[in-house]
Amino acid sequence: MSGGTASEESFRRPKVDVARLRRDAWYRRPRWRRLLGFVVAGLALAVVTGPQGAGSTALMSSLKATFTSVPRLGVCVGIGVLLWAVREFGAPLRAPARTAQDGVARGVAPLRRFYAAGVWPKLAVGALVLLAGAVIPNLLSPTWQVVFVEQMGVYLLLAVGLNVVIGWAGLLDLGFVAFYAVGAYSVAFWTGSLPVQPPVVLNPFVVIPIAVLTCLAAGLLLGTPTLRLRGDYLAIVTLGFHEIVYLVAKNADGFTGGSRGTTKMIPHPSIHLFGLDYNWMFDPLPYWYLILAFTAILVVLFSRLENSRIGRAWTAVREDEVAAQASGLNTVRYKLMAFAIGASTSGLAGVVYASKVGFINPDNFPLLASILVLSYVIFGGMGSIAGVLVGTALLTLLPQWLKSYVPAEDRYMYLGGLLVAMMIFRPQGVIPSRRRQREIKLAESGVGGADATGAAGGTTS
Amino acid sequence: MSSFLDYLTLGIVLGSMYAIFAIGYTLVYGVLQLINFAHSEVFMTGGFVGMIVLTEFAPSRPHGFPSVLWMVIGCLSGMVGGAAIAWCLERVAYRPLRKAHAPRLVFLLSAVGASFFLYNLCGKLFGRTPIQVPSLYTNSVLFHWPGTSVEVRVNQVVVVGAAVVMMIALDRVVNRTKLGSGIRAVAQDAETAGLMGVDIDRVVSRTFVIGGLLGGAAGFLYGYAVSGQVVFTMGFVPGIKAFAAAVLGGIGNVRGAMLGGLLLGVIESFTVPLLGSEWIDVAAFVILVLVLMFRPTGLLGERLGRSA
Amino acid sequence: MTATATMDASGGGEVLRTRGVTLRFGGLVSLQDIDLTMRRGEILAVIGPNGAGKTSLFNVLTGVYTPQEGELTFIRADGAPVSLLGRKPYRVNRLGLARTFQNIRLFAALTALENVQIAAERAQRSGPIANMLGMPWARRDQKASAGRAAELLEFAGLGARVNELAGNLNYGDQRRLEMARALASDPEVLLLDEPAAGTNRVEKEQMAALIRRINEELAISVLLIEHDMRLVMSVAHRVMVLNFGRVIAEGRPEQVQRDPAVVEAYLGAAEEDAENTRETGDAVGREDADE
């Protein structure tokens, strides 16, 4: 401004001064604010991993223990500071990490191409997985076999079903386990294990189609009024539905047996067909094979569905409801379809579970279970069947391994945290589905990003 | 007649609590068009912080003025606790997603995860069994409904009084202050508001804080005066009901939330004589589904911007 | 009404008719008393300054909004009139009115082919079970819709972009993809909402050619909202001018261009923009500067 020399320097100098004047105090600068953030995160880590509280007898015991044990606090805050340092000054570290990552990607690329080449590689991989699934439990101890069936197996079925609802149609169903309960109570009813007697007592196998149809009907009944509304209402209505099912199971003593549950043991499934006689008893392995078979069949059927006109329609509805309608899609119908398919899968899982454990009561179907399935699906990768299976397997087996290190009840807390972290850092999951990943990428760059859960607002006028 | 008034009194007490709880849902919905699933944990936090403050600091049986003072302190600390959690929620579970233009499903899931995390954390820190909230005074009968023997107790008056004060204050804030006009602007059209120089991050953050203040107060009042105890899962069922109340009144509409809360409380309270107390929780869901089916925009219509 | 259906250079019988359509949002009148008559086989352009209610008209026709007053009638190929009032958007589409959007709305994460395929198979019969089991008729459906989609992409000049993601296409291609998707639902009337917005001159010419081919080769009537007067003048058989939700002029393009009311409406708008040119043609030809 002082004129004189028109060199580039004199043009730049005032700019620097302005920048200096604008500078905040050092502690308000992003870098130091981030340090504060990481320290707080470290403290939070200390609180979260602290001892179990004692309740009303020593209200503050857990917090007191956390904040008086200096070494542990130090370690946790140290971790926070370390992460901060890596983030701020870790540029030299990042380059080798990137090359390593690229190297791995290059190494994997031929495998990926092979996998994507056609149907046969996929079938081969599927067969291998199936084989592994059939062999591995044989090598395990009975405790683990039970874990495989009751923890992982049932949840595999549930997750494959929920994936249709949330991963493909983009509907948030928080009452998924209610259908699981409906399925389980159906089998209890039709095998004569409830206080009310059915017209005919059936074999659990025969109940499967009945239970599936019951759940389908329940899904349609619940979905028809709610699915024509904005998507996020569905979440809360399904939550309410779960509560209603739970309360009915708990309070309708004469029908469901109330909180004590089934009065008699639900019989194990058995086959008496063409001279074939087989009875599933207490041994977990046969159930595992049953679940494996169901899962495999569902995976095949559902992946066909995904690549059909219905799968495409789901994607369209999920991405832009207005455009989907303008293209002639009856969006409510497709949502209802996904919702009902999910519900029936959940019902199937309920039948299998109930006939394995023999006795059921309302507390077998807490809301918690819905959230668990949800986190498995999301962790694995919404919309990707492989991802969902892997996610469920990892998250159901991992807590069993960690049982001796981490209190069992804390599991849910960590799962909640994991869910938030996944949403922030990797919403597409461990093994993302192709379409979902593209959506998230495009949304970040500002294209599309509409979601069926959204108030896909009317067109601008 | 007298039992009718009994249930009405109960309904109004419950309802005014739902009303201030529901405002948190409605405000956040107004500015972000999202159901803040974790708002029930704000409520729970309010209950716990209030309980802890009273247990740790209040003298065991204050009389006269000190008991009123401690009541106010308990409520304020619950509010502060609720606001702090709400602020953290916005910061950790929502803001990064807003920056990434995440699809709405991602927001919902993040909130569900946060809710799950928070209440289980609370169960871990303070145990999973219900904890009594110390009482500051005898919950004696304050007066009778004119001409009847229906009693109205101190706690009931406290809940309704506190709720009324807060609702009036909130109405002022939303309609009369600069922050309020910022909230309404963002609710109407966030993009334009941003272009006009409204700091959207700040407005969203403060909206959460306001919702948190009220939610925390509701939690404290519920713990202290309605159930007399707090437990880590206490937010869940009232949370759904408060949400139902917000939808009933027209989500995004502050006065709607107040009306919806009161109505829901009253309806719920009359479920007891009609159906039996074990079905009390079903009433809210049935109302929710009915409202969504027949009048999805609620009684007073949806927009925060227009009729707040 | 048939009395008004005097044969035009372009026309057969009526295909679309609105009478007294009025749409309000609260106190705001978006459309007032709109009478529109469209004949089979014509290209009718709706023009008007921004905010004149053009897109609202589209939204009313396609069932996104329901007008408070008036009637909307679609006349089927067999001459039977069908009311469009209160029909959901997807039902309107199935009757034979397909549309595109002003702010392009494609399924960004799907390929160009899949985008078109979705519309082509919207009314197919194969249900979830048939598709799960891979029944022969489901496979046939699938093959047919893919073939049809590829054909239409070829027609729209996107033959080389079949497997690209819709979100990665350039602007002009996205516009054409949207048109291909609308064509896939075999419409009798195609509603194009500013198909040339944001495209360059060459693309505009291609777009004009495409619209003409749709009209002539596929025998589809086209209702066109457009800002670009050059495009409108070169393709439209008839022009209707909206301002503040009312029809202020209607007729052949050259008539309308000279109509004082139209000049007034556009000049008024242009003056506000401070970029006012005295010459009518230029002022009318003002391109969507406010998009």
Side-chain angles (χ1 to χ4, degrees):
Chain A
M1 306 290 123
S2 49
T5 52
S7 74
E8 278 190 21
E9 248 83 350
S10 72
F11 271 115
R12 259 184 212 154
R13 198 163 290 140
K15 260 190 193 164
V16 173
D17 285 340
V18 169
R20 194 171 291 160
L21 280 175
R22 275 199 191 138
R23 236 178 218 183
D24 292 322
W26 65 271
Y27 58 88
R28 303 197 67 160
R29 275 177 234 153
R31 171 168 290 173
W32 302 105
R33 293 182 77 148
R34 280 198 290 268
L35 176 60
L36 182 69
F38 275 101
V39 168
V40 171
L43 289 176
L45 181 69
V47 170
V48 166
T49 55
Q52 169 66 43
S56 52
T57 47
L59 203 50
M60 305 300 278
S61 63
S62 174
L63 285 175
K64 267 185 192 142
T66 299
F67 285 99
T68 46
S69 126
V70 177
R72 213 171 61 81
L73 205 59
V75 168
C76 289
V77 172
I79 292 174
V81 173
L82 194 69
L83 287 175
W84 172 79
V86 170
R87 189 194 182 286
E88 301 295 328
F89 310 106
L93 290 173
R94 231 164 275 154
R98 183 69 50 82
T99 24
Q101 211 178 345
D102 287 353
V104 170
R106 253 196 304 280
V108 175
L111 284 176
R112 280 211 172 150
R113 265 198 301 281
F114 165 74
Y115 185 72
V119 184
W120 291 110
K122 282 185 186 124
L123 281 182
V125 172
L128 269 178
V129 172
L130 206 60
L131 192 69
V135 172
I136 289 172
N138 282 298
L139 313 172
L140 298 172
S141 66
T143 356
W144 275 94
Q145 291 180 350
V146 172
V147 168
F148 257 61
V149 174
E150 288 179 21
Q151 303 286 321
M152 182 169 97
V154 174
Y155 279 97
L156 280 177
L157 281 175
L158 284 172
V160 167
L162 186 60
N163 179 50
V164 176
V165 184
I166 192 172
W168 293 344
L171 305 167
L172 183 49
D173 180 356
L174 292 179
F176 196 64
V177 161
F179 298 109
Y180 178 53
V182 171
Y185 272 98
S186 302
V187 75
F189 173 72
W190 286 103
T191 52
S193 318
L194 289 183
V196 235
Q197 285 306 305
V200 271
V201 173
L202 300 170
N203 179 309
F205 262 124
V206 186
V207 181
I208 288 178
I210 300 176
V212 165
L213 285 178
T214 312
C215 288
L216 193 79
L220 292 177
L221 210 67
L222 182 68
T224 310
T226 43
L227 283 172
R228 44 188 85 244
L229 299 166
R230 244 194 325 240
D232 31 10
Y233 284 159
L234 182 72
I236 209 103
V237 172
T238 46
L239 207 62
F241 175 68
H242 179 274
E243 205 57 22
I244 291 176
V245 168
Y246 180 81
L247 284 173
V248 168
K250 211 177 178 95
N251 292 333
D253 275 14
F255 181 64
T256 59
S259 46
R260 272 165 294 111
T262 45
T263 44
K264 272 191 304 193
M265 199 181 127
I266 299 165
H268 294 298
S270 54
I271 289 183
H272 312 280
L273 216 62
F274 312 122
L276 187 72
D277 271 302
Y278 188 80
N279 196 350
W280 272 258
M281 295 298 288
F282 291 95
D283 190 16
L285 264 189
Y287 288 95
W288 170 249
Y289 292 127
L290 189 68
I291 288 173
L292 204 61
F294 277 132
T295 312
I297 292 169
L298 286 181
V299 164
V300 171
L301 295 184
F302 286 174
S303 42
R304 274 189 170 161
L305 201 58
E306 192 203 1
N307 294 314
S308 75
R309 72 185 198 89
I310 293 175
R312 274 188 292 276
W314 281 333
T315 314
V317 171
R318 191 176 76 208
E319 277 199 36
D320 189 338
E321 226 181 311
V322 174
Q325 286 197 343
S327 305
L329 296 182
N330 183 350
T331 52
V332 176
R333 201 172 102 93
Y334 284 102
K335 286 196 225 170
L336 203 54
M337 209 183 268
F339 194 67
I341 289 174
S344 7
T345 314
S346 188
L348 173 67
V351 177
V352 174
Y353 175 74
S355 52
K356 163 71 181 73
V357 296
F359 288 99
I360 51 168
N361 67 57
D363 290 321
N364 290 129
F365 312 99
L367 182 80
L368 209 73
S370 284
I371 311 275
L372 288 182
V373 193
L374 191 67
S375 30
Y376 301 160
V377 169
I378 287 154
F379 176 75
M382 285 184 274
S384 135
I385 290 184
V388 164
L389 295 177
V390 170
T392 309
L394 278 179
L395 287 190
T396 45
L397 295 181
L398 203 63
Q400 296 299 324
W401 269 302
L402 295 177
K403 226 174 180 173
S404 40
Y405 310 103
V406 179
E409 289 156 316
D410 287 6
R411 236 173 95 185
Y412 306 117
M413 183 179 72
Y414 290 118
L415 273 176
L418 179 72
L419 207 55
V420 178
M422 287 301 283
M423 286 303 105
I424 296 172
F425 299 110
R426 203 180 160 82
Q428 64 271 44
V430 175
I431 305 181
S433 92
R434 246 172 49 244
R435 284 176 188 164
R436 277 278 183 189
Q437 189 166 31
R438 296 192 302 220
E439 267 165 42
I440 285 162
K441 285 232 173 88
L442 289 166
E444 271 170 9
S445 57
V447 187
D451 204 293
T453 20
T459 45
T460 50
S461 58
Chain B
M1 187 60 198
S2 70
S3 72
F4 174 82
L5 276 179
D6 251 336
Y7 288 116
L8 188 68
T9 317
L10 234 118
I12 291 173
V13 171
L14 268 180
S16 44
M17 188 206 68
Y18 289 147
I20 49 173
F21 192 6
I23 287 167
Y25 283 103
T26 240
L27 280 177
V28 170
Y29 196 93
V31 293
L32 293 180
Q33 280 80 51
L34 285 170
I35 300 174
N36 180 12
F37 266 98
H39 193 51
S40 49
E41 270 37 78
V42 169
F43 177 86
M44 181 271 294
T45 310
F48 266 85
V49 172
M51 180 275 295
I52 289 168
V53 167
L54 291 189
T55 315
E56 298 284 306
F57 303 111
S60 66
R61 274 266 163 201
H63 287 285
F65 178 69
S67 66
V68 177
L69 184 69
W70 278 106
M71 182 75 202
V72 173
I73 290 175
C75 189
L76 285 180
S77 48
M79 290 170 79
V80 170
I85 285 292
W87 184 84
C88 291
L89 265 175
E90 196 273 329
R91 215 44 203 262
V92 176
Y94 282 102
R95 191 171 292 186
L97 308 182
R98 280 199 293 127
K99 300 290 176 220
H101 301 284
R104 299 166 60 84
L105 188 60
V106 170
F107 280 89
L108 288 176
L109 291 169
S110 172
V112 169
S115 160
F116 211 55
F117 173 78
L118 284 175
Y119 86 77
N120 282 295
L121 176 63
C122 177
K124 182 190 169 84
L125 293 182
F126 304 109
R128 293 184 173 80
T129 44
I131 305 170
Q132 297 296 318
V133 181
S135 87
L136 298 166
Y137 46 77
T138 345
N139 185 19
S140 49
V141 177
L142 202 62
F143 63 89
H144 292 263
W145 280 104
T148 61
S149 62
V150 176
E151 300 165 342
V152 177
R153 288 178 179 274
V154 183
N155 276 347
Q156 297 179 322
V157 175
V158 165
V159 172
V160 175
V164 168
V165 169
M166 273 177 250
M167 285 193 265
I168 292 172
L170 178 84
D171 213 62
R172 286 273 157 129
V173 168
V174 172
N175 289 320
R176 301 274 172 86
T177 63
K178 200 171 160 220
L179 173 62
S181 62
I183 292 176
R184 280 178 291 145
V186 174
Q188 275 194 342
D189 186 344
E191 210 173 310
T192 314
L195 291 174
M196 306 291 250
V198 176
D199 183 345
I200 296 184
D201 280 347
R202 179 175 296 179
V203 167
V204 169
S205 182
R206 296 201 172 163
T207 307
F208 270 82
V209 168
I210 294 176
L213 286 172
L214 297 178
F220 172 76
L221 293 174
Y222 182 77
Y224 180 83
V226 178
S227 71
Q229 58 183 28
V230 291
V231 61
F232 72 117
T233 50
M234 69 187 266
F236 175 63
V237 172
I240 296 184
K241 289 178 184 167
F243 177 79
V247 173
L248 180 62
I251 193 151
N253 182 327
V254 173
R255 286 180 187 163
M258 298 175 188
L259 178 73
L262 271 178
L263 262 177
L264 191 84
V266 171
I267 296 172
E268 197 180 286
S269 141
F270 278 102
T271 330
V272 176
L274 294 176
L275 297 173
S277 60
E278 68 266 37
W279 299 107
I280 189 164
D281 290 343
V282 175
F285 307 129
V286 173
I287 289 169
L288 180 66
V289 172
L290 290 180
V291 172
L292 290 179
M293 274 165 74
F294 295 109
R295 199 178 159 82
T297 54
L299 297 175
L300 296 190
E302 276 192 4
R303 296 204 56 121
L304 178 66
R306 212 185 302 146
S307 49
Chain C
M1 292 300 126
T2 38
T4 57
T6 47
M7 293 296 273
D8 199 84
S10 56
E14 291 179 352
V15 64
L16 201 57
R17 181 171 69 208
T18 77
R19 287 294 172 261
V21 168
T22 300
L23 176 73
R24 291 183 216 97
F25 293 105
L28 202 79
V29 179
S30 185
L31 292 173
Q32 179 142 31
D33 221 5
I34 301 287
D35 289 351
L36 173 149
T37 307
M38 188 174 176
R39 297 189 191 86
R40 199 169 290 279
E42 80 173 337
I43 301 179
L44 172 63
V46 177
I47 63 169
N50 261 44
K54 304 181 300 285
T55 298
S56 294
L57 178 64
F58 265 33
N59 285 337
V60 160
L61 284 172
T62 52
V64 178
Y65 301 144
T66 309
Q68 279 82 8
E69 288 162 35
E71 37 186 284
L72 300 167
T73 318
F74 172 75
I75 294 96
R76 287 211 307 240
D78 59 11
V82 188
S83 171
L84 295 176
L85 267 185
R87 248 169 224 272
K88 296 223 172 76
Y90 79 94
R91 305 203 68 106
V92 173
N93 173 284
R94 291 190 185 185
L95 264 182
L97 267 81
R99 72 173 290 182
T100 66
F101 293 90
Q102 188 178 358
N103 46 340
I104 306 171
R105 302 187 84 140
L106 289 164
F107 309 121
L110 293 176
T111 63
L113 186 79
E114 286 171 319
N115 264 278
V116 182
Q117 214 179 339
I118 282 171
E121 60 201 359
R122 77 207 192 288
Q124 280 175 0
R125 291 286 160 144
S126 58
I129 293 172
N131 275 301
M132 274 196 229
L133 300 177
M135 287 316 204
W137 61 87
R139 281 166 196 245
R140 255 200 315 276
D141 273 0
Q142 175 126 346
K143 216 172 255 176
S145 66
R148 172 92 178 115
E151 222 175 87
L152 283 167
L153 285 171
E154 193 67 47
F155 178 85
L158 292 170
R161 300 255 182 283
V162 172
N163 288 319
E164 252 175 78
L165 292 189
N168 292 345
L169 293 176
N170 70 39
Y171 208 68
D173 284 350
Q174 290 196 351
R175 291 256 175 231
R176 280 185 290 169
L177 177 55
E178 232 195 347
M179 284 168 74
R181 185 178 69 187
L183 288 175
S185 45
D186 289 320
E188 288 181 44
V189 181
L190 183 63
L191 292 86
L192 301 175
D193 198 345
E194 300 197 22
T199 56
N200 62 35
R201 176 139 309 174
V202 182
E203 286 171 322
K204 280 194 170 97
E205 275 161 22
Q206 289 172 345
M207 185 56 73
L210 181 58
I211 294 172
R212 256 182 250 119
R213 280 177 60 213
I214 288 171
N215 182 244
E216 285 156 18
E217 290 175 26
L218 305 179
I220 292 173
S221 325
V222 179
L223 184 59
L224 172 71
I225 290 179
E226 188 49 69
H227 266 305
D228 186 274
M229 284 306 276
R230 193 171 283 112
L231 182 73
V232 169
M233 294 303 154
S234 75
V235 302
H237 302 143
R238 254 174 357 111
V239 178
M240 189 170 119
V241 188
L242 286 185
N243 197 15
F244 297 114
R246 291 165 187 276
V247 180
I248 58 168
E250 202 178 344
R252 298 248 177 78
E254 37 321 332
Q255 292 170 348
V256 167
Q257 210 169 9
R258 282 192 301 270
D259 191 307
V262 178
V263 175
E264 165 85 7
Y266 271 89
L267 267 181
E271 255 158 23
E272 279 158 27
D273 285 2
E275 210 191 27
N276 47 349
T277 30
R278 286 292 144 219
E279 206 184 318
T280 321
D282 258 31
V284 175
R286 188 173 65 95
E287 287 173 18
D288 37 87
D290 30 19
E291 286 275 307

